Amino acid sequence: MPRNRLRMDLQLFSGEKTEKATPKKRGESRKKGQVAKSVEIPSSLILLACICCLLMLGPFLQKQILTMFGDVLLHRLEMEVTAENILTLFNHYAVQLLIVLAPIFVVVLIVAFASYYVQIGWLFTLEPLQPKLEKLNPLTGAKNIFGVRSVVEFLKSSLKLAAVGLIVYLVLWSERERFLDLAHLPVQDIFAFVSGLTMEMGIFVAALLFVLAIGDFMYQRYEFEKNLRMSKQDIKDEYKNSEGDPLIKAKIKERQRRMALMRMMQEVPKADVVITNPTHFAVALKYDPSKMDAPTVIAKGQDYLALRIREIAKKNEVMTMENKPLARALFERTEVGQSVPGDLFQAVAEVLAYVYRLKGRR
């Protein structure tokens, strides 16, 4: 135990970041746009989605492209070249090109948004776009260039390049015999073979990049959690800033308690009777039939506070009566400002009746 205590004290003194980040720290980091995400996941999914679009929309895209080129060769060769005709032709082909690429653009936007939403949820912040002078510091730039993160990024890029190169080599090597037959095929069959081979390589590359992206996301999450860690002193400072200094809060509570005691003591002279134990407990009761449904406890105390209540009662000629069981029961079962419990009505009524007889009241 002493050794563990010494280790905790050393961690607190050294400021070592060994604790998980608090929800408040995570919220502040998220507002700044600092979240665990991998840009490799959207890029690989976008590549895969584009290839799938080309496979599904192949006939449509082929028809549109052939129509555009056929229109040029059939109807535009004898067109008079003027600024107005060129502008009209440009607008026409721009619209046709937009129609061809619109499905792919829509799919790319949906995939990109969905991939980021799955990683970090809904987040919109302009904090990363704000200019910061610390980014112009050459020391910080050199640290980023030669830091561990740069080495990891270099290794990741090298791994991606090697994996893509290996896939391209294996796919081309598997079709090496068909390459020799291309010289005897018509141009249309050659284009079909090349496009099919390209799609096959694209699918394999996109799938492999997605697998590598999953690993990159796990690393980014680990790195994010590591950078977000807090020291024990950071947690204590955060608690002080959010909840207030414990010493100040204790002083405030102490002052509030004193003010409550002062108000309670000011009510003792208004009591009808003070029931004692005789030295350990003191409970002051008051009953006003016009305002109260039952006798009410206006002050109570134990030991030193009970002594003060008896002194104030004696000074203000408030009658004090000794009743050990009743005093203990009232002290334990009631709070200041509460009415007497129903099962104690009889005992309290007898005490008040006796007090009223002594004072000549009914």
Side-chain angles (χ1 to χ4, degrees), residues 176-304:
R176 62 185 183 279
E177 296 181 357
R178 296 190 60 184
F179 282 107
L180 301 177
D181 300 332
L182 293 180
H184 307 288
L185 297 178
V187 176
Q188 185 175 359
D189 293 342
I190 295 176
F191 277 119
F193 170 75
V194 172
S195 61
L197 191 62
T198 303
M199 291 297 175
E200 182 181 358
M201 287 190 297
I203 292 175
F204 282 121
V205 169
L208 178 61
L209 291 180
F210 180 72
V211 173
L212 296 178
I214 296 298
D216 180 64
F217 174 73
M218 297 176 63
Y219 169 75
Q220 297 294 341
R221 191 166 187 174
Y222 165 77
E223 191 71 16
F224 175 76
E225 293 291 337
K226 180 180 178 182
N227 294 331
L228 210 62
R229 286 178 184 173
M230 304 173 65
S231 64
K232 295 183 182 296
Q233 185 63 40
D234 293 336
I235 296 178
K236 290 181 63 177
D237 294 340
E238 181 184 293
Y239 177 78
K240 287 183 180 180
N241 295 331
S242 59
E243 300 293 336
D245 194 333
L247 296 177
I248 297 177
K249 292 179 65 177
K251 290 182 180 179
I252 294 175
K253 289 183 178 180
E254 178 65 21
R255 180 171 296 181
Q256 292 175 346
R257 189 178 68 85
R258 290 182 180 180
M259 294 177 63
L261 290 176
M262 291 177 60
R263 288 195 298 267
M264 186 179 69
M265 292 302 179
Q266 292 173 358
E267 295 293 325
V268 174
K270 303 177 184 178
D272 293 323
V273 64
V274 175
I275 302 175
T276 63
N277 192 24
T279 57
H280 294 294
F281 301 101
V283 180
L285 298 177
K286 180 178 178 58
Y287 179 53
D288 187 352
S290 61
K291 299 179 180 179
M292 304 176 183
D293 296 331
T296 303
V297 177
I298 61 174
K300 71 172 188 176
Q302 183 178 6
D303 296 332
Y304 173 76

Side-chain angles (χ1 to χ4, degrees), residues 17-55:
K17 298 183 182 297
T18 58
E19 306 300 317
K20 291 184 177 181
T22 60
K24 181 181 179 182
K25 178 70 176 294
R26 294 180 182 276
E28 293 176 351
S29 177
R30 184 176 178 83
K31 290 180 180 179
K32 296 178 181 178
Q34 300 173 357
V35 290
K37 66 179 184 298
S38 173
V39 296
E40 305 296 335
I41 291 181
S43 60
S44 60
L45 290 178
I46 288 173
L47 177 60
L48 186 61
C50 290
I51 296 174
C52 292
C53 285
L54 292 175
L55 289 175

Side-chain angles (χ1 to χ4, degrees), residues 55-66:
L55 289 175
M56 291 185 297
L57 302 177
F60 169 76
L61 298 177
Q62 181 183 8
K63 181 180 178 181
Q64 293 295 326
I65 294 174
L66 291 177

